[in-house]
PDB file of all heavy atoms in Angstrom:
ATOM      1  N   LEU J  22      -0.465  20.779 -20.996  1.00 97.00           N
ATOM      2  CA  LEU J  22      -1.443  20.272 -20.028  1.00 97.00           C
ATOM      3  C   LEU J  22      -1.614  21.234 -18.875  1.00 97.00           C
ATOM      4  O   LEU J  22      -2.723  21.381 -18.362  1.00 97.00           O
ATOM      5  CB  LEU J  22      -1.020  18.885 -19.481  1.00 97.00           C
ATOM      6  CG  LEU J  22      -1.119  17.770 -20.488  1.00 97.00           C
ATOM      7  CD1 LEU J  22      -0.610  16.445 -19.910  1.00 97.00           C
ATOM      8  CD2 LEU J  22      -2.553  17.569 -21.028  1.00 97.00           C
ATOM      9  N   TRP J  23      -0.574  21.938 -18.495  1.00 97.00           N
ATOM     10  CA  TRP J  23      -0.736  22.924 -17.405  1.00 97.00           C
ATOM     11  C   TRP J  23      -1.514  24.117 -17.901  1.00 97.00           C
ATOM     12  O   TRP J  23      -2.276  24.672 -17.141  1.00 97.00           O
ATOM     13  CB  TRP J  23       0.667  23.413 -16.936  1.00 97.00           C
ATOM     14  CG  TRP J  23       1.297  22.431 -15.958  1.00 97.00           C
ATOM     15  CD1 TRP J  23       0.603  21.643 -15.021  1.00 97.00           C
ATOM     16  CD2 TRP J  23       2.675  22.112 -15.868  1.00 97.00           C
ATOM     17  NE1 TRP J  23       1.567  20.892 -14.289  1.00 97.00           N
ATOM     18  CE2 TRP J  23       2.795  21.129 -14.846  1.00 97.00           C
ATOM     19  CE3 TRP J  23       3.852  22.416 -16.562  1.00 97.00           C
ATOM     20  CZ2 TRP J  23       4.033  20.598 -14.448  1.00 97.00           C
ATOM     21  CZ3 TRP J  23       5.019  21.889 -16.190  1.00 97.00           C
ATOM     22  CH2 TRP J  23       5.156  20.982 -15.156  1.00 97.00           C
ATOM     23  N   GLN J  24      -1.467  24.314 -19.191  1.00 96.00           N
ATOM     24  CA  GLN J  24      -2.184  25.505 -19.720  1.00 96.00           C
ATOM     25  C   GLN J  24      -3.699  25.171 -19.729  1.00 96.00           C
ATOM     26  O   GLN J  24      -4.536  26.010 -19.398  1.00 96.00           O
ATOM     27  CB  GLN J  24      -1.725  25.851 -21.111  1.00 96.00           C
ATOM     28  CG  GLN J  24      -1.722  27.281 -21.472  1.00 96.00           C
ATOM     29  CD  GLN J  24      -0.815  27.623 -22.575  1.00 96.00           C
ATOM     30  OE1 GLN J  24      -0.686  26.793 -23.517  1.00 96.00           O
ATOM     31  NE2 GLN J  24      -0.142  28.766 -22.568  1.00 96.00           N
ATOM     32  N   ARG J  25      -4.021  23.969 -20.141  1.00 95.00           N
ATOM     33  CA  ARG J  25      -5.407  23.588 -20.228  1.00 95.00           C
ATOM     34  C   ARG J  25      -5.519  22.092 -20.055  1.00 95.00           C
ATOM     35  O   ARG J  25      -4.680  21.339 -20.688  1.00 95.00           O
ATOM     36  CB  ARG J  25      -6.087  24.002 -21.524  1.00 95.00           C
ATOM     37  CG  ARG J  25      -7.575  24.034 -21.518  1.00 95.00           C
ATOM     38  CD  ARG J  25      -8.130  24.904 -22.692  1.00 95.00           C
ATOM     39  NE  ARG J  25      -7.566  24.408 -23.985  1.00 95.00           N
ATOM     40  CZ  ARG J  25      -8.101  23.432 -24.693  1.00 95.00           C
ATOM     41  NH1 ARG J  25      -9.250  22.845 -24.292  1.00 95.00           N
ATOM     42  NH2 ARG J  25      -7.633  23.081 -25.840  1.00 95.00           N
ATOM     43  N   SER J  26      -6.403  21.606 -19.293  1.00 89.00           N
ATOM     44  CA  SER J  26      -6.543  20.140 -19.124  1.00 89.00           C
ATOM     45  C   SER J  26      -7.927  19.816 -18.589  1.00 89.00           C
ATOM     46  O   SER J  26      -8.529  20.660 -18.015  1.00 89.00           O
ATOM     47  CB  SER J  26      -5.495  19.600 -18.199  1.00 89.00           C
ATOM     48  OG  SER J  26      -5.794  19.887 -16.791  1.00 89.00           O
ATOM     49  N   PRO J  27      -8.412  18.642 -18.763  1.00 94.00           N
ATOM     50  CA  PRO J  27      -7.753  17.494 -19.499  1.00 94.00           C
ATOM     51  C   PRO J  27      -7.795  17.745 -21.032  1.00 94.00           C
ATOM     52  O   PRO J  27      -8.639  18.453 -21.561  1.00 94.00           O
ATOM     53  CB  PRO J  27      -8.636  16.340 -19.098  1.00 94.00           C
ATOM     54  CG  PRO J  27      -9.932  16.872 -18.762  1.00 94.00           C
ATOM     55  CD  PRO J  27      -9.760  18.244 -18.239  1.00 94.00           C
ATOM     56  N   LEU J  28      -6.852  17.087 -21.676  1.00 96.00           N
ATOM     57  CA  LEU J  28      -6.785  17.106 -23.131  1.00 96.00           C
ATOM     58  C   LEU J  28      -6.561  15.701 -23.670  1.00 96.00           C
ATOM     59  O   LEU J  28      -6.064  14.791 -22.949  1.00 96.00           O
ATOM     60  CB  LEU J  28      -5.523  17.952 -23.602  1.00 96.00           C
ATOM     61  CG  LEU J  28      -5.503  19.442 -23.266  1.00 96.00           C
ATOM     62  CD1 LEU J  28      -4.194  20.034 -23.834  1.00 96.00           C
ATOM     63  CD2 LEU J  28      -6.728  20.123 -23.870  1.00 96.00           C
ATOM     64  N   THR J  29      -7.002  15.516 -24.877  1.00 96.00           N
ATOM     65  CA  THR J  29      -6.681  14.215 -25.574  1.00 96.00           C
ATOM     66  C   THR J  29      -5.286  14.406 -26.264  1.00 96.00           C
ATOM     67  O   THR J  29      -4.765  15.480 -26.346  1.00 96.00           O
ATOM     68  CB  THR J  29      -7.663  14.012 -26.706  1.00 96.00           C
ATOM     69  OG1 THR J  29      -7.474  14.963 -27.749  1.00 96.00           O
ATOM     70  CG2 THR J  29      -9.089  14.129 -26.228  1.00 96.00           C
ATOM     71  N   ALA J  30      -4.754  13.238 -26.632  1.00 96.00           N
ATOM     72  CA  ALA J  30      -3.455  13.241 -27.273  1.00 96.00           C
ATOM     73  C   ALA J  30      -3.480  14.169 -28.477  1.00 96.00           C
ATOM     74  O   ALA J  30      -2.486  14.984 -28.675  1.00 96.00           O
ATOM     75  CB  ALA J  30      -3.053  11.866 -27.632  1.00 96.00           C
ATOM     76  N   THR J  31      -4.482  14.098 -29.250  1.00 96.00           N
ATOM     77  CA  THR J  31      -4.581  14.894 -30.447  1.00 96.00           C
ATOM     78  C   THR J  31      -4.566  16.386 -30.078  1.00 96.00           C
ATOM     79  O   THR J  31      -3.872  17.183 -30.716  1.00 96.00           O
ATOM     80  CB  THR J  31      -5.870  14.541 -31.198  1.00 96.00           C
ATOM     81  OG1 THR J  31      -5.929  13.194 -31.322  1.00 96.00           O
ATOM     82  CG2 THR J  31      -5.856  15.220 -32.581  1.00 96.00           C
ATOM     83  N   GLU J  32      -5.305  16.741 -29.069  1.00 96.00           N
ATOM     84  CA  GLU J  32      -5.333  18.123 -28.658  1.00 96.00           C
ATOM     85  C   GLU J  32      -3.932  18.638 -28.182  1.00 96.00           C
ATOM     86  O   GLU J  32      -3.515  19.762 -28.440  1.00 96.00           O
ATOM     87  CB  GLU J  32      -6.338  18.368 -27.560  1.00 96.00           C
ATOM     88  CG  GLU J  32      -7.792  18.316 -28.028  1.00 96.00           C
ATOM     89  CD  GLU J  32      -8.817  18.225 -26.949  1.00 96.00           C
ATOM     90  OE1 GLU J  32      -8.427  17.722 -25.816  1.00 96.00           O
ATOM     91  OE2 GLU J  32      -9.947  18.641 -27.086  1.00 96.00           O
ATOM     92  N   VAL J  33      -3.273  17.749 -27.436  1.00 97.00           N
ATOM     93  CA  VAL J  33      -1.884  18.149 -26.987  1.00 97.00           C
ATOM     94  C   VAL J  33      -1.033  18.346 -28.257  1.00 97.00           C
ATOM     95  O   VAL J  33      -0.317  19.402 -28.346  1.00 97.00           O
ATOM     96  CB  VAL J  33      -1.247  17.016 -26.117  1.00 97.00           C
ATOM     97  CG1 VAL J  33       0.185  17.308 -25.850  1.00 97.00           C
ATOM     98  CG2 VAL J  33      -1.986  16.887 -24.829  1.00 97.00           C
ATOM     99  N   CYS J  34      -1.208  17.489 -29.224  1.00 96.00           N
ATOM    100  CA  CYS J  34      -0.440  17.605 -30.437  1.00 96.00           C
ATOM    101  C   CYS J  34      -0.693  18.953 -31.101  1.00 96.00           C
ATOM    102  O   CYS J  34       0.181  19.608 -31.594  1.00 96.00           O
ATOM    103  CB  CYS J  34      -0.695  16.449 -31.374  1.00 96.00           C
ATOM    104  SG  CYS J  34       0.359  16.426 -32.833  1.00 96.00           S
ATOM    105  N   GLU J  35      -1.936  19.362 -31.132  1.00 95.00           N
ATOM    106  CA  GLU J  35      -2.309  20.611 -31.755  1.00 95.00           C
ATOM    107  C   GLU J  35      -1.544  21.788 -31.099  1.00 95.00           C
ATOM    108  O   GLU J  35      -1.204  22.767 -31.755  1.00 95.00           O
ATOM    109  CB  GLU J  35      -3.776  20.897 -31.613  1.00 95.00           C
ATOM    110  CG  GLU J  35      -4.633  20.224 -32.706  1.00 95.00           C
ATOM    111  CD  GLU J  35      -6.126  20.024 -32.294  1.00 95.00           C
ATOM    112  OE1 GLU J  35      -6.540  20.715 -31.358  1.00 95.00           O
ATOM    113  OE2 GLU J  35      -6.781  19.194 -32.955  1.00 95.00           O
ATOM    114  N   GLN J  36      -1.257  21.638 -29.787  1.00 95.00           N
ATOM    115  CA  GLN J  36      -0.571  22.728 -29.093  1.00 95.00           C
ATOM    116  C   GLN J  36       0.975  22.643 -29.305  1.00 95.00           C
ATOM    117  O   GLN J  36       1.609  23.693 -29.364  1.00 95.00           O
ATOM    118  CB  GLN J  36      -0.817  22.636 -27.591  1.00 95.00           C
ATOM    119  CG  GLN J  36      -2.263  22.543 -27.202  1.00 95.00           C
ATOM    120  CD  GLN J  36      -2.827  23.881 -26.867  1.00 95.00           C
ATOM    121  OE1 GLN J  36      -2.162  24.656 -26.195  1.00 95.00           O
ATOM    122  NE2 GLN J  36      -3.967  24.189 -27.258  1.00 95.00           N
ATOM    123  N   VAL J  37       1.500  21.494 -29.443  1.00 96.00           N
ATOM    124  CA  VAL J  37       2.993  21.377 -29.347  1.00 96.00           C
ATOM    125  C   VAL J  37       3.619  20.788 -30.671  1.00 96.00           C
ATOM    126  O   VAL J  37       4.790  21.070 -30.924  1.00 96.00           O
ATOM    127  CB  VAL J  37       3.469  20.534 -28.220  1.00 96.00           C
ATOM    128  CG1 VAL J  37       2.942  21.101 -26.886  1.00 96.00           C
ATOM    129  CG2 VAL J  37       3.057  19.060 -28.385  1.00 96.00           C
ATOM    130  N   CYS J  38       2.862  20.096 -31.487  1.00 96.00           N
ATOM    131  CA  CYS J  38       3.539  19.466 -32.672  1.00 96.00           C
ATOM    132  C   CYS J  38       4.056  20.476 -33.658  1.00 96.00           C
ATOM    133  O   CYS J  38       5.241  20.366 -34.035  1.00 96.00           O
ATOM    134  CB  CYS J  38       2.512  18.525 -33.347  1.00 96.00           C
ATOM    135  SG  CYS J  38       2.391  16.923 -32.455  1.00 96.00           S
ATOM    136  N   ALA J  39       3.222  21.461 -34.043  1.00 95.00           N
ATOM    137  CA  ALA J  39       3.587  22.408 -34.993  1.00 95.00           C
ATOM    138  C   ALA J  39       4.954  23.086 -34.687  1.00 95.00           C
ATOM    139  O   ALA J  39       5.913  22.984 -35.458  1.00 95.00           O
ATOM    140  CB  ALA J  39       2.547  23.407 -35.251  1.00 95.00           C
ATOM    141  N   PRO J  40       5.088  23.768 -33.596  1.00 95.00           N
ATOM    142  CA  PRO J  40       6.323  24.516 -33.303  1.00 95.00           C
ATOM    143  C   PRO J  40       7.529  23.648 -33.318  1.00 95.00           C
ATOM    144  O   PRO J  40       8.663  24.110 -33.580  1.00 95.00           O
ATOM    145  CB  PRO J  40       6.022  25.167 -31.958  1.00 95.00           C
ATOM    146  CG  PRO J  40       4.842  24.550 -31.382  1.00 95.00           C
ATOM    147  CD  PRO J  40       4.064  23.949 -32.500  1.00 95.00           C
ATOM    148  N   ARG J  41       7.382  22.373 -32.940  1.00 96.00           N
ATOM    149  CA  ARG J  41       8.554  21.477 -32.824  1.00 96.00           C
ATOM    150  C   ARG J  41       8.727  20.506 -33.964  1.00 96.00           C
ATOM    151  O   ARG J  41       9.626  19.759 -33.956  1.00 96.00           O
ATOM    152  CB  ARG J  41       8.436  20.692 -31.512  1.00 96.00           C
ATOM    153  CG  ARG J  41       8.087  21.507 -30.298  1.00 96.00           C
ATOM    154  CD  ARG J  41       8.641  20.951 -29.067  1.00 96.00           C
ATOM    155  NE  ARG J  41       8.665  21.889 -28.014  1.00 96.00           N
ATOM    156  CZ  ARG J  41       9.627  21.968 -27.060  1.00 96.00           C
ATOM    157  NH1 ARG J  41      10.564  21.127 -27.117  1.00 96.00           N
ATOM    158  NH2 ARG J  41       9.612  22.910 -26.146  1.00 96.00           N
TER     159      ARG J  41
END
Side-chain angles (χ1 to χ4, degrees):
Chain J
L22 292 176
W23 278 323
Q24 214 158 35
R25 196 161 57 85
S26 75
L28 293 181
T29 68
T31 310
E32 286 168 336
V33 170
C34 186
E35 275 159 18
Q36 308 265 318
V37 304
C38 282
R41 313 208 161 215

